[in-house]
Each structure stands twice: as structure tokens, then as C-alpha cells.
Amino acid sequence: AENEQVSPLQNLDVGRSCILVSIAGKNVMLDCGMHMGYNDDRRFPDFSYITQNGRLTDFLDCVIISHFHLDHCGALPYFSEMVGYDGPIYMTHPTKAICPILLEDYRKITVDKKGETNFFTSQMIKDCMKKVVAVHLHQTVQVDEELEIKAYYAGHVLGAAMFQIKVGCESVVYTGDYNMTPDRHLGAAWIDKCRPDLLITESTYATTIRDSKRCRERDFLKKVHETVERGGKVLIPVFALGRAQELCILLETFWERMNLKAPIYFSTGLTEKANHYYKLFITWTNQKIRKTFVQRNMFEFKHIKAFDRAFADNPGPMVVFATPGMLHAGQSLQIFRKWAGNEKNMVIMPGYCVQGTVGHKILSGQRKLEMEGRQIVSSPKWLLIDKACAFHLLLLQLEVKMQVEYMSFSAHADAKGIMQLIRQAEPRNVLLVHGEAKKMEFLKQKIEQEFHVSCYMPANGETTTIFTNPSIPVDISLGLLKRETAIGLLPDVKKPKLMHGTLIMKDNSFRLVSPEQALKELGLAEHQLRFTCRVHIQDPRKEHETVLRVYNHLKGVLKDYSVQHLPDGSITVESILIQATAHSEDQGTKVLLVSWTYQDEELGSYLTSLLKKGLPQSTS
């Protein structure tokens, strides 16, 4: 039995993903995410867990990034350039194109605006991306002689992929984030019946069975429409790619149908780039978009315009998509601060928010927030903490009067979707990551009950070992098969058949051949190996008399075998030789030496046990 080891460096929250898999002696790191809710050491995974001394390149065979979200790729430049890793990093083509843009955008917010140190530079992002190898869907990539990987479509966001990691006959499938239902711009995740030893699946919505998508969309449009009609402003915090495009298509068609005049803005230059990539990677989108693309591009919007920060103070209704999606920094947080005090306004959170972010706080019902600020703005009250550092360390008391709504347009699989994927792939074991412990526990029980497979949910830094029983195919030579059937032993499906031969291991394949063929192929001389067993018999007679008694006894019992008494006083049964000698200390005991070749192992063992029972008294 082989074993596979899985160690989530970061996993039992939805903050950041980073998992270490050891399979048949190969070490693969799956994703390299950062946590949006922290500004200290907890932001990045603890890579010292992988190895305390020596370079990461010596320890890891490769790194795989499932998609471009920062909780899956945000720590990559820190890991490769600051900690130090020079090996291959695999991701799909869209992920490779979009990842550096999001990393640079986040670096700007963190370093240029917040002034933080101990963060990667623009150059580090570029150097990191040079180590990336882009892969196509369903392309088998040979990492080295033994390790191969293959990407499958995951839905979720543009370029998201599930990866199969295979070494010999052992395999692991890592889902990353995936969506089992198609949406307005992406298809549903799909994998073939690959029956991996282990499926590592996300479980963000482990206990949720989401209501129908149409109901959610109707509800969303109704709330946006009502807010705009009463003159309010709607803030929709999103990440630049993914849900943003989904909701833009939804609002664009609604505005067109209802002939609405309130402006819709998108708050970042990233969108132009984002839409450029959707056009570039059109094959990754769904069927409908690909068909429509011939007449018009679904990502060129008539009603949605680029946002300027001065627009936030404009009177009257508007809808603004602003990044990032969890209200933890950037433009979405700035607009939220400005609009939070007015009950006419609304913020709609369309996706998951990790703990520690402003998004998570307001969704938990918190209506009084304390925030740090670097410059004084007019609307809220400011409290000075220390006059000496009043310029940059100020605590903002913000009262939230605007309406807060949560609508899951998140492109993660719900409980039903996760079960569906397990049904598709038929894994032997399941491991849950990227979720909350209580919800995962519920899903774990459900999986074990329905599929009768072991399900694991390791904590951060905990190692799970999964034992596998690889079946190794062996080719049998025709000569050996013919010889076995010539003996008259025809194969029986119900009874396993023991075959004697020589096992040759060559070029990662196994063959069972006759000893003669093996000697010939390998150019070796034959050595005879004989096994000898001592059997003590109580008999006061002379040695030649004891031999005669043994001969008569065997002749009577083994009627189908050739039993011979030789002139030198020994006995042969087929190739088995039996000789008798007197015991050195006890003259009343005779020692029978029974020796045989390995081919006659069964007969030799039978004769030994027969003689150990003693000789019949009547034999003369």
C-alpha cells in the first residue's frame, strides 16, 4: 500500500487557499492565496511549514494555481520571489493573463495607498510570472518522468480549472473553486469519471442549497430598481472579473427593457482590461455568448460607463460597481464611507465576505464601524488618537444607515453541486477545504452516508494521510500461459490461480515470464536453489531399515507420484530427495533430511508435514 499526504497550510476558512500534497514521493503545492482580512503576518500562508531549511525549489516538484482570485494566487510573488522558489508554476492561459493585473492592482492599494512595507514589488510580480507555464484544458502535461497533470473546466470565473495530479496509478483531483450550474457568461464545471484516490473539494457553501437563480436575479433587479426610483444610490462591491460581468449583463438587459435613465458606473480601469480578456478567451465562456459574439460582443455595454471618483458626490440616483468585493480597501470602501450615512442608499453584497473585512461586519449586522484613515474627509466625525501622529493615524466612527443586502451570486458549488461532482468523478476518498468547520462537518456526514467513502477535513497545518492500494498490471508471456494450460490447469474465473514464473521489471512495466525465458533475455546462468528440512523420527532400528520403512509408507500414500529407493540408500519423490542419518546424541532417533527445489515447494511442504506425523507401526 502506498500513501498520499495532504497538508493544508491554509484551508479551514475561506480566507486563503494553500495545500501541500505528497503523492508517490512527489510534492505539489495547490494554490498560493492571501487573506483579505489581515494586514499582518497572517496575510500570507506559513511557508516554513513546507521546509525549515533549504530552498523550496528542492522540496517542491511544482505549484498549481486553480484561478486568478487573490485568495488563491495573492501570495504567489511573495512565495516565489521573497521566500524563494524557482520551479514550475502551472495555470491556464486566462489565469496567466489576468493574475498579474489583479496582483498589481492589490499591490497599489496596499503599498501605494496604505503605505505598507514587507510586500512584493511590481518587478517581483513580473519575475514571478516568468516562472509560469500555461496549460490548455484536457492537455496532459508531463511535469517530469513520473508526474503528470491535467486541467478540467471549473466554471466559477474565466480560466478557472480543476486539476488532476497523477503519479503512476495514483491520482488526486483538486477542484479549486467551481460552479456546477452554468450562468450568463460561463458554463458548468465538468470532469470525467477519473476515479481518483482522493478528491480535494472546496466547501464554501457546504450546507447551502441555493434557491433558483432566476428568483435571486428577480429579487436583485427589484431592489436596485426600487432604490433608484426613490432617488437612492446603489453600491455593488465586486471583484473586477467574474460576478461583475454576470451582474453587468443582467443590469444592462434590464435597463434596456425598462428604458431606465439612472446612470450605471463601473469603478475601475480594470474592467476594460477584464472585458478585453473575455473577448480574447471567448472559448472559455458559455455557448450563448459564443453564438451572440458573432453579431455583437456581450461585454460591450451601452448603459454602463466608466466611473470617476468625483461622481460619488453627484446628486440623484446611480448604480456603481466598485472593486474590491469585500469592502476591505480601495474604491468600494471609499464610496461606502461617503454613502453609508443615508438611509435612501443601498449596498448589495453579491458574494462571500471573509472575517475581518468591512463586508463581513455589516453583513453580521454591525452598524457602527471604526476605521483607520490617512487623510481627513468632511462627512463623518474624526477622533484624534494622538496629536503627534494626527496626520496619518485617525480613527473614523462611521454609522451605517444605508440598507445592507446580501444576495449570493457567488459562483461556488452549493451542497447539491458538490455531491454532483463526487458522483461524476467517483473518488475513493474526499477531503474538504475552503470552508467553515461547522458547515463542513455536516457535508462530511452527508458524503460518507451517500457514497460510503472516507471524508476528511483537516485543520490548517494538519496532515491527513490516505492509504492507497494501487493495482499494478502485469503482462504474462504466451509461453508461460501455454505451459500452464499444457499441465491441464485451465483458468477458472472464480478461483484465483497461482502462477510460477520470473517477474521482470523494465521501463516502468512488469512482465511474468518462464525462468528459461528470463535467463535467456537477461543473459544469466541458472543457479539451483534447494530447500532442506529436518524431520526427527523415533525409530531404534538401523538407518537403512528406517529408510525402507519410509519408502514403503510413501509408496503406499503417494500412488500418483514416482517414488524410488536408490542404491545409495536415499529416496526420491519426483525431484525431492530424502536421506536418513542417526541422531548424534540419541541413537533411538533418526533425522530425515528432506530437500526440494522451489518448483516442488508444494509437494515438499506436504511430504514434510506427512513425515512429521510419524510412521505407521505396522510398516515393516
Side-chain angles (χ1 to χ4, degrees):
E2 291 277 346
N3 64 46
E4 292 169 4
Q5 292 192 324
V6 183
S7 312
L9 273 60
Q10 302 298 340
N11 127 47
L12 261 176
D13 48 23
V14 189
R16 77 220 116 168
S17 290
C18 189
I19 299 156
L20 185 66
V21 172
S22 296
I23 169 171
K26 301 286 174 184
N27 297 314
V28 178
M29 193 167 91
L30 305 168
D31 281 336
C32 188
M34 65 184 293
H35 200 298
M36 303 293 195
Y38 298 123
N39 295 328
D40 52 21
D41 292 349
R42 293 171 297 178
R43 173 190 280 145
F44 297 128
D46 180 7
F47 296 114
S48 66
Y49 182 87
I50 298 176
T51 177
Q52 295 286 342
N53 40 27
R55 296 170 70 251
L56 292 169
T57 316
D58 303 331
F59 186 78
L60 291 171
D61 291 282
C62 74
V63 173
I64 293 171
I65 302 295
S66 62
H67 64 290
F68 59 63
H69 279 158
L70 293 178
D71 59 334
H72 291 259
C73 73
L76 201 53
Y78 170 80
F79 161 78
S80 71
E81 305 313 303
M82 293 169 81
V83 180
Y85 170 77
D86 299 319
I89 300 166
Y90 294 95
M91 55 180 79
T92 65
H93 285 274
T95 307
K96 187 183 178 181
I98 297 160
C99 204
I101 299 167
L102 297 189
L103 288 168
E104 178 55 31
D105 187 57
Y106 196 76
R107 189 204 64 77
K108 275 183 193 155
I109 293 169
T110 312
V111 178
D112 299 352
K113 291 192 181 152
K114 289 190 186 172
E116 287 188 33
T117 53
N118 192 28
F119 208 78
F120 48 79
T121 63
S122 292
Q123 189 54 46
M124 284 177 184
I125 297 172
K126 287 177 189 142
D127 293 340
C128 166
M129 296 316 288
K130 285 175 190 165
K131 297 169 185 174
V132 170
V133 180
V135 302
H136 295 286
L137 285 179
H138 306 139
Q139 171 197 0
T140 300
V141 177
Q142 209 67 44
V143 177
D144 59 30
E145 278 183 15
E146 288 105 31
L147 174 63
E148 62 179 53
I149 62 169
K150 187 179 186 180
Y152 291 93
Y153 189 77
H156 188 61
V157 290
L158 190 70
M162 302 189 261
F163 280 87
Q164 182 186 36
I165 301 122
K166 206 170 174 193
V167 183
C169 53
E170 289 181 64
S171 67
V172 171
V173 167
Y174 172 57
T175 66
D177 291 351
Y178 63 101
N179 192 6
M180 293 301 286
T181 46
D183 55 30
R184 269 185 164 67
H185 73 300
L186 293 173
W190 178 87
I191 194 164
D192 53 23
K193 215 175 265 319
C194 51
R195 297 189 176 93
D197 292 298
L198 175 65
L199 174 76
I200 303 173
T201 173
E202 65 132 320
S203 50
T204 313
Y205 293 104
T207 54
T208 318
I209 304 284
R210 287 203 295 266
D211 53 356
S212 96
K213 203 152 187 296
R214 197 152 286 175
C215 295
R216 269 177 287 150
E217 290 178 348
R218 214 172 12 228
D219 208 14
F220 168 76
L221 293 170
K222 186 173 169 235
K223 287 196 164 76
V224 172
H225 193 196
E226 283 171 359
T227 308
V228 168
E229 287 291 288
R230 66 167 178 261
K233 296 174 169 62
V234 181
L235 171 64
I236 307 169
V238 287
F239 288 102
L241 286 117
R243 290 327 84 205
Q245 279 67 28
E246 184 76 1
L247 296 175
C248 280
I249 296 171
L250 187 59
L251 277 187
E252 173 81 7
T253 47
F254 183 70
W255 246 239
E256 186 74 24
R257 196 171 74 236
M258 302 294 286
N259 197 21
L260 298 176
K261 296 289 178 259
I264 307 174
Y265 297 114
F266 209 113
S267 80
T268 169
L270 268 183
T271 318
E272 284 83 80
K273 280 184 180 165
N275 292 339
H276 162 72
Y277 286 115
Y278 273 94
K279 292 174 215 169
L280 188 63
F281 298 111
I282 196 78
T283 53
W284 284 77
T285 61
N286 66 21
Q287 203 60 43
K288 190 181 171 189
I289 286 198
R290 275 179 273 177
K291 276 183 191 161
T292 319
F293 189 69
V294 185
Q295 297 104 39
R296 66 184 182 89
N297 180 359
M298 292 276 273
F299 300 111
E300 276 166 9
F301 302 114
K302 180 176 147 192
H303 296 276
I304 301 167
K305 306 279 184 284
F307 180 76
D308 185 290
R309 66 181 58 185
F311 294 175
D313 299 318
N314 286 0
M318 67 175 79
V319 179
V320 176
F321 287 96
T323 59
M326 298 185 192
L327 286 180
H328 53 279
Q331 196 131 41
S332 61
L333 187 57
Q334 285 168 23
I335 299 169
F336 173 75
R337 283 174 170 177
K338 287 189 175 183
W339 295 358
N342 188 337
E343 60 274 359
K344 266 190 187 178
N345 299 338
M346 180 183 279
V347 59
I348 297 177
M349 306 299 294
Y352 194 93
C353 291
V354 303
Q355 229 163 344
T357 59
V358 173
H360 187 273
K361 286 172 187 170
I362 60 169
L363 286 177
S364 307
Q366 217 173 308
R367 291 296 174 263
K368 283 201 168 83
L369 302 170
E370 289 187 347
M371 296 184 200
E372 281 181 17
R374 289 185 75 212
Q375 69 281 342
I376 296 174
V377 294
S378 54
S379 54
K381 292 178 281 184
W382 289 82
L383 302 177
L384 297 187
I385 295 177
D386 181 349
K387 281 180 187 165
C389 61
F391 168 68
H392 63 277
L393 189 56
L394 296 152
L395 200 65
L396 164 67
Q397 291 275 36
L398 183 62
E399 194 171 348
V400 181
K401 289 183 182 171
M402 77 194 301
Q403 293 179 58
V404 178
E405 293 285 346
Y406 171 68
M407 292 187 162
S408 172
F409 283 97
S410 186
H412 289 271
D414 60 5
K416 198 166 140 195
I418 294 166
M419 301 296 271
Q420 200 182 329
L421 186 86
I422 294 171
R423 215 166 280 120
Q424 264 183 28
E426 288 190 4
R428 293 182 184 92
N429 298 274
V430 175
L431 188 136
L432 302 176
V433 294
H434 199 278
E436 293 168 20
K438 274 185 194 161
K439 293 179 180 178
M440 286 159 97
E441 187 56 55
F442 168 82
L443 185 63
K444 176 183 186 299
Q445 289 171 6
K446 207 166 149 47
I447 290 167
E448 288 180 334
Q449 275 168 13
E450 187 162 332
F451 299 107
H452 308 293
V453 296
S454 299
C455 185
Y456 307 87
M457 38 176 284
N460 287 348
E462 187 186 319
T463 299
T464 300
T465 304
I466 287 139
F467 291 94
T468 60
N469 290 313
S471 49
I472 300 164
V474 176
D475 292 330
I476 298 179
S477 77
L478 197 60
L480 189 65
L481 275 175
K482 280 180 177 171
R483 192 166 78 177
E484 291 287 329
T485 48
I487 299 168
L489 300 167
L490 288 167
D492 182 352
V493 184
K494 289 173 188 165
K495 287 181 190 166
K497 167 94 180 67
L498 189 69
M499 292 193 82
H500 290 277
T502 305
L503 189 67
I504 298 180
M505 290 179 270
K506 199 175 175 187
D507 302 328
N508 278 342
S509 66
F510 294 81
R511 282 187 310 130
L512 191 68
V513 298
S514 65
E516 298 79 35
Q517 192 181 333
L519 291 169
K520 197 174 165 187
E521 273 186 38
L522 303 168
L524 297 172
E526 186 176 0
H527 294 269
Q528 268 293 352
L529 197 63
R530 290 189 77 86
F531 300 92
T532 302
C533 187
R534 288 167 179 264
V535 180
H536 292 85
I537 285 182
Q538 296 297 320
D539 190 6
R541 296 177 181 83
K542 294 258 188 310
E543 283 143 48
H544 69 272
E545 290 176 32
T546 305
V547 170
L548 200 60
R549 285 183 72 203
V550 170
Y551 170 71
N552 289 332
H553 175 50
L554 294 179
K555 191 102 171 128
V557 175
L558 305 171
K559 290 189 166 63
D560 296 336
Y561 293 89
S562 160
V563 182
Q564 292 181 326
H565 188 187
L566 302 180
D568 65 356
S570 56
I571 301 166
T572 61
V573 181
E574 304 291 343
S575 72
I576 294 166
L577 186 67
I578 302 168
Q579 292 171 312
T581 59
H583 195 284
S584 56
E585 291 169 13
D586 180 7
Q587 290 302 311
T589 303
K590 299 290 178 290
V591 180
L592 297 179
L593 299 173
V594 184
S595 85
W596 63 88
T597 61
Y598 81 94
Q599 288 98 327
D600 284 325
E601 169 69 40
E602 276 181 66
L603 184 59
S605 297
Y606 171 68
L607 275 179
T608 310
S609 57
L610 187 70
L611 292 169
K612 276 180 180 170
K613 289 174 186 170
L615 298 172
Q617 293 305 311
S618 58
T619 309
S620 58

